[in-house]
Structures are given as C-alpha cells and as structure tokens.
Amino acid sequence: MEERIAVCPGSFDPITLGHVDIIRRAARLFDVVVVGVATDAQKSHMLDIDERVQLAELACADIDGVRVEAFSGLLVDFCQQMRAAAIVKGIRDSSDIAGESRMHAINAELAPGVETVFLIAVPQLAHVSSSMVRWLNELDADVSRYVPEAVAQRLRHPR
Ligand code: PNS
C-alpha cells in the first residue's frame, strides 16, 4: 500500500514542546511526517534556517518516521513535492482557529488534493508558543520547561 505522508509546517523559531507533541501525534496517524521548516524571507527570525532545522532534527530524533526539511515558497507546492496527502497543524485556542481556517481555505483552493488536519493541543501545552519563548529568552527567563533540551541549551549558549 502507498505510504501516507503528512507535512507539519512552521517557522519553528524555535521548535517548542507544543510542536513536538503535535509531530509525535501526527507520526501515529501517518507513515511519514515531514517537518517543513519555512525559510520565509519576509519574516525576521531569532534563529537562522540551519539552526531551526538542526534543532527540529534533535527534538524529533526519537520519533519514528519523522524527517525535517527546509522549504521556501508555497506550502502546498512543498506538500506536492513531498507527495504528502495532508498538512497537520496544531490548534491551541480559539484565536488560532481564525488564522488557521483562513490558511486552510487558501491552501484548499490552491491544492484541493492536500487535506489539512488540525490536532487540538493538550491543555498542558496550549499556552506555549515560539513567540512567548523568544520573548522570555530575550528577558533572560528560563524557558527550559517549554522547549526540548537541545533548544534550551542553544538559548543558554548564544552564538
Ligand atoms: O509557525 P508559523 O510561523 O505559524 O508557520 C506559518 C507557516 C510556515 C505554516 C505559513 O507561513 C506558511 O504556510 N508559509 C508558506 C507560504 C505559503 O504557502 N503561504 C500561503 C499559505 S495560506
């Protein structure tokens, strides 16, 4: 039978424990999960693309069937390149729904064959976001409870 492939897209600046939980759950539903790290030249990032990819690889190293790839351009084009049947995204709260449903509508118009699957965040991680981690880190707060160990180490030892 054909492998069922999903893409978990994001900026992952940095990857958080919330992301890892969604990726882990996606890996139970699909044979292969490609974590797609968006290069997005329009956004300014705390970490460069190579670091975001490397930290995502370290964070997902123990999850079978997961690999990490950088992508630029349209998410649906990347999904088609990866032969993915679905995009998997996490929803933390009602404010995520508005933005995500708009992106879902556009992606569905661009590529009707690529389904979007939303997984609701577990309550323990529903308040965790990369932007909050960046903000706390900027203020020298400890972020280790929100991020994988490799990310915490990287943030403690800036380059
Ligand atoms: O972690 P983020 O920043 O919320 O991830 C956003 C991401 C990367 C999923 C989104 O910006 C995206 O899909 N970018 C690719 C460009 C694209 O396809 N844009 C149209 C989608 S509506």
Side-chain angles (χ1 to χ4, degrees), residues 9-12 38 40 43 71 73-76 89 103 106-107:
S11 304
F12 301 106
D40 202 342
K43 277 193 195 171
F71 79 97
L74 281 177
L75 172 59
V76 289
K89 288 190 155 186
M103 283 201 260
I106 291 170
N107 288 330

Side-chain angles (χ1 to χ4, degrees), residues 66-89:
V66 173
R67 67 173 206 272
V68 181
E69 306 261 356
F71 79 97
S72 55
L74 281 177
L75 172 59
V76 289
D77 289 347
F78 177 65
C79 291
Q80 279 162 346
Q81 266 170 40
M82 295 296 115
R83 309 180 69 78
I87 297 165
V88 176
K89 288 190 155 186

Side-chain angles (χ1 to χ4, degrees), residues 51-117:
E51 279 192 291
R52 286 182 281 132
V53 166
Q54 189 196 19
L55 291 172
E57 279 169 350
L58 290 168
C60 299
D62 70 327
I63 315 174
D64 285 343
V66 173
R67 67 173 206 272
V68 181
E69 306 261 356
F71 79 97
S72 55
L74 281 177
L75 172 59
V76 289
D77 289 347
F78 177 65
C79 291
Q80 279 162 346
Q81 266 170 40
M82 295 296 115
R83 309 180 69 78
I87 297 165
V88 176
K89 288 190 155 186
I91 296 276
R92 288 164 299 191
D93 55 25
S94 56
S95 69
D96 273 349
I97 292 177
E100 290 300 341
S101 49
R102 274 193 294 271
M103 283 201 260
H104 161 256
I106 291 170
N107 288 330
E109 278 167 1
L110 292 171
V114 180
E115 188 55 89
T116 302
V117 175

Side-chain angles (χ1 to χ4, degrees), residues 84-159:
I87 297 165
V88 176
K89 288 190 155 186
I91 296 276
R92 288 164 299 191
D93 55 25
S94 56
S95 69
D96 273 349
I97 292 177
E100 290 300 341
S101 49
R102 274 193 294 271
M103 283 201 260
H104 161 256
I106 291 170
N107 288 330
E109 278 167 1
L110 292 171
V114 180
E115 188 55 89
T116 302
V117 175
F118 292 113
L119 298 180
I120 303 286
V122 292
Q124 310 89 282
L125 294 169
H127 59 302
V128 178
S129 66
S130 298
S131 58
M132 186 271 292
V133 167
R134 292 196 300 274
W135 187 24
L136 290 174
N137 184 59
E138 189 72 35
L139 299 172
D140 287 328
D142 176 21
V143 294
S144 57
R145 78 186 68 189
Y146 305 123
V147 294
E149 178 55 29
V151 174
Q153 272 187 28
R154 163 64 181 82
L155 296 182
R156 277 197 292 269
H157 303 287
R159 289 186 179 167

